[in-house]
Amino acid sequence: MNTSTTRETRYRQLRAWVPGLLVMAAGVGLSMALAGVQTVLGALVIALVLGILLGNSGVYSARLRTGISGGTMRLLRAGVVLLGLQLAVPDILALGPQVVLLIVACVSLSYFATLWLGRRLGLTRSGAALMAAGFSICGASAVAGMQGVVDADDDEVASAVAMVTLYGSLMIVVLPLLNAVAGLDAARFGVWSGLAVHEVAQVVAVASTAGTTALAVATVVKLGRVVLLAPVTALASVGVRRRAAAMDRGTGEDAGRPGRRKTPLVPLFVLGFLAMVVLRSLDILPPSLLDAGRTLTTVLLAAGMFGLGAGIDLRRLLRTGGRFAIVGAGSTLFLVGLSLLGVLVVA
């Protein structure tokens, strides 16, 4: 195929994507606007809901589906890469070694406990991994990052995001009430909030009830959990490769044959995420650029969530959501209790 033919083919493909991408852009704009007038639901969750509404309506034609489905994973992964610009390693290390170790312990134990519970209750391996990442690390952003590794279906993604939103929103009310009994000071309540609550926006809402000290500490602790997205997804990728290799050995198939999807040892978007963390940690970027990066991250992740939502069969989701709800409740209770114990002992 000559150069002119290749260019013409790419142009036709891009033109076929335009209607879907325009609808996706409109959905992101609406989700950002709605997120700005209230504090309960973030833009990512709203975008997912709008996508579900579109996908289960009669207007979601094949013409729209081409662009939306084609752009979804690319936009999600780009958003996860830029998420790294929000993380400065020196800020996390300034918490002290005990708190850093507590962050690692809570994320690790919560991840494997949720994974175990999900499998015990009948979730698929990929569905359990989404729940484990979302509840132990950073909510919808972690679900998006893990989805690119474990190849979960859209219904599982929707269920995981819905549960993170539900239980994280409950924590906005419950955690301050629990602290009235626990009696933690502002700094320790900030550590607890950053460890126990799922989404960054939810952490801000919880910690702000105890003042600026709690809010500052909670935000850094939460970002400490976010930075663990990279090693967790890398380990998950290793697990996927090993299981695929074991299956190939059992069937005698060639894992390297043409057309077979092979999960990379460390996904490229995870390396990009780490590169952004390093760049942010060097403290060479102006605040205006960091603010723009934060906004662009939200836009890209919201676009990806809109695309995931559009691919969801709502009736199937309603039939299978009960097990996700039970796993979410168990995971939340485990993390709240574990993190409180850690704060009382360490912080």
Side-chain angles (χ1 to χ4, degrees):
M1 184 179 292
N2 58 44
T3 303
S4 61
T5 303
T6 302
R7 289 177 178 174
E8 183 178 350
T9 301
R10 290 177 178 174
Y11 175 74
R12 286 200 301 268
Q13 290 174 340
L14 180 60
R15 189 170 58 183
W17 280 28
V18 168
L21 292 178
L22 289 176
V23 170
M24 183 182 282
V28 171
L30 181 56
S31 69
M32 297 282 284
L34 292 175
V37 298
Q38 47 79 51
T39 58
V40 177
L41 298 177
L44 274 61
V45 175
I46 295 173
L48 180 73
V49 172
L50 292 176
I52 292 173
L53 293 176
L54 172 66
N56 289 270
S57 69
V59 300
Y60 191 45
S61 63
R63 188 163 177 254
L64 296 179
R65 189 176 290 110
T66 300
I68 291 176
S69 63
T72 294
M73 286 310 302
R74 292 172 173 84
L75 294 168
L76 276 176
R77 290 175 179 176
V80 172
V81 169
L82 287 184
L83 184 64
L85 287 178
Q86 299 182 29
L87 310 174
V89 173
D91 291 343
I92 298 167
L93 295 179
L95 293 169
Q98 290 180 316
V99 175
V100 171
L101 288 174
L102 183 57
I103 293 170
V104 174
C106 285
V107 168
S108 302
L109 292 174
S110 176
Y111 180 87
F112 286 110
T114 306
L115 195 64
W116 175 85
L117 181 61
R119 295 295 287 154
R120 292 278 295 186
L121 292 178
L123 298 187
T124 65
R125 192 180 299 274
S126 57
L130 294 182
M131 290 289 285
F135 278 77
S136 65
I137 303 174
C138 58
S141 300
V143 172
M146 187 61 73
Q147 199 272 345
V149 172
V150 299
D151 199 26
D153 65 42
D154 292 345
D155 292 339
E156 290 175 324
V157 173
S159 294
V161 172
M163 293 306 109
V164 164
T165 303
L166 172 62
Y167 290 109
S169 298
L170 287 175
M171 286 297 98
I172 296 174
V173 177
V174 172
L175 216 63
L177 294 177
L178 291 178
N179 192 47
V181 178
L184 301 178
D185 60 29
R188 293 202 296 171
F189 181 67
V191 175
W192 190 26
S193 302
L195 290 172
V197 184
H198 311 316
E199 290 275 2
V200 174
Q202 295 162 350
V203 170
V204 170
V206 172
S208 61
T209 63
T212 55
T213 298
L215 178 58
V217 172
T219 302
V220 178
V221 170
K222 179 59 180 176
L223 293 178
R225 289 168 65 192
V226 175
V227 79
L228 293 177
L229 176 63
V232 170
T233 51
L235 288 173
S237 178
V238 171
V240 170
R241 286 169 60 95
R242 287 179 176 174
R243 285 191 295 274
M247 290 177 63
D248 289 333
R249 287 194 298 270
T251 59
E253 293 180 354
D254 180 10
R257 71 180 186 271
R260 184 179 181 89
R261 182 181 183 270
K262 187 174 182 180
T263 304
L265 181 60
V266 180
L268 185 60
F269 74 92
V270 173
L271 295 177
F273 171 87
L274 289 174
M276 292 299 104
V277 172
V278 171
L279 184 61
R280 174 69 178 86
S281 300
L282 293 175
D283 198 23
I284 59 175
L285 300 177
S288 59
L289 185 58
L290 293 175
D291 289 340
R294 188 175 298 108
T295 301
L296 182 57
T297 299
T298 302
V299 169
L300 291 170
L301 290 175
M305 285 295 171
F306 182 88
L308 288 175
I312 289 166
D313 183 339
L314 189 57
R315 288 172 293 185
R316 180 184 172 192
L317 175 62
L318 294 174
R319 288 196 303 269
T320 60
R323 286 172 295 178
F324 281 88
I326 297 171
V327 174
S331 180
T332 298
L333 290 172
F334 179 83
L335 184 56
V336 168
L338 175 66
S339 56
L340 177 58
L341 177 62
V343 168
L344 292 174
V345 172
V346 172

